[in-house]
Amino acid sequence: MPIILGVDPGSRITGYGVIRAEGRLIEYLDSGCIRVGEKPMAERLRVIFQSLATLIGEYRPEEFAIEQVFMARNPDSALKLGQARGAAIVSAATSGLAVHEYSARQVKQAVVGTGGADKTQVQHMVQALLSLSRPPQADAADALAVALCHAHMSQSVRRLSGAGRVRGGRVRG
């Protein structure tokens, strides 16, 4: 069963979620937040990079999924978010992982059923889907939602790629 590391990047708090997924069977492994606070930006990026490298070394994920940048009203915030995403992506790429990116709308659609869901709805559905005793912290829930989105999308792609196979003169789907 493939292990998926999902990441919700942030310049102050980066959420992460680790699941194991095989078909409809999804198992929660870990989640949490990398908190970097008010350090200089270069130090924050180093902490994000190294913390994710440590998680990758510990869990050995086969898949890495991250939320895409959305356009914030504040260009400085968007730039910092992009830098945090870059540190996370380089950490995954350095470990040999392919990077899969999903928009916030795609993640919410996959987990909640509507692309306009709020953070509370995402937390509730992540808790329910993973049978957690309590809702995860918001950034960790978002990262778990990214991992769940990737699990669903990967399964759909596998199903579709096998749908057109012909065996014994019949199309199997």
Side-chain angles (χ1 to χ4, degrees):
M1 292 195 326
I3 294 174
I4 302 168
L5 171 59
V7 174
D8 177 41
S11 63
R12 295 188 196 306
I13 301 173
T14 292
Y16 67 88
V18 186
I19 61 172
R20 185 184 326 255
E22 184 67 41
R24 292 188 177 167
L25 177 64
I26 297 176
E27 176 187 5
Y28 170 85
L29 298 178
D30 191 17
S31 64
C33 296
I34 301 164
R35 297 178 189 280
V36 294
E38 298 296 323
K39 298 176 181 166
M41 194 61 184
E43 178 65 14
R44 292 187 220 175
L45 298 175
R46 184 190 64 76
V47 170
I48 292 167
F49 175 89
Q50 289 182 333
S51 298
L52 288 173
T54 298
L55 286 166
I56 290 167
E58 182 178 346
Y59 288 101
R60 304 271 184 229
E62 290 89 2
E63 311 271 338
F64 180 89
I66 190 165
E67 191 170 283
Q68 292 175 339
V69 172
F70 63 93
M71 281 313 295
R73 285 181 230 186
N74 181 337
D76 188 51
S77 295
L79 182 60
K80 288 177 181 174
L81 175 60
Q83 290 172 331
R85 279 185 82 251
I89 289 169
V90 170
S91 188
T94 301
S95 299
L97 294 172
V99 175
H100 304 276
E101 300 180 57
Y102 300 96
S103 70
R105 183 168 279 291
Q106 285 176 300
V107 172
K108 292 171 183 179
Q109 180 72 41
V111 175
V112 180
T114 176
D118 64 29
K119 282 195 174 283
T120 305
Q121 290 171 306
V122 171
Q123 281 179 290
H124 175 75
M125 285 306 297
V126 165
Q127 179 185 5
L129 290 169
L130 296 174
S131 302
L132 302 176
S133 60
R134 60 188 168 92
Q137 194 272 338
D139 295 295
D142 288 348
L144 286 165
V146 172
L148 288 165
C149 175
H150 180 67
H152 295 307
M153 296 296 275
S154 295
Q155 182 170 355
S156 294
V157 168
R158 280 192 290 276
R159 262 196 314 255
L160 289 172
S161 67
R165 290 192 195 144
V166 177
R167 292 193 192 138
R170 296 157 97 195
V171 175
R172 302 272 175 144

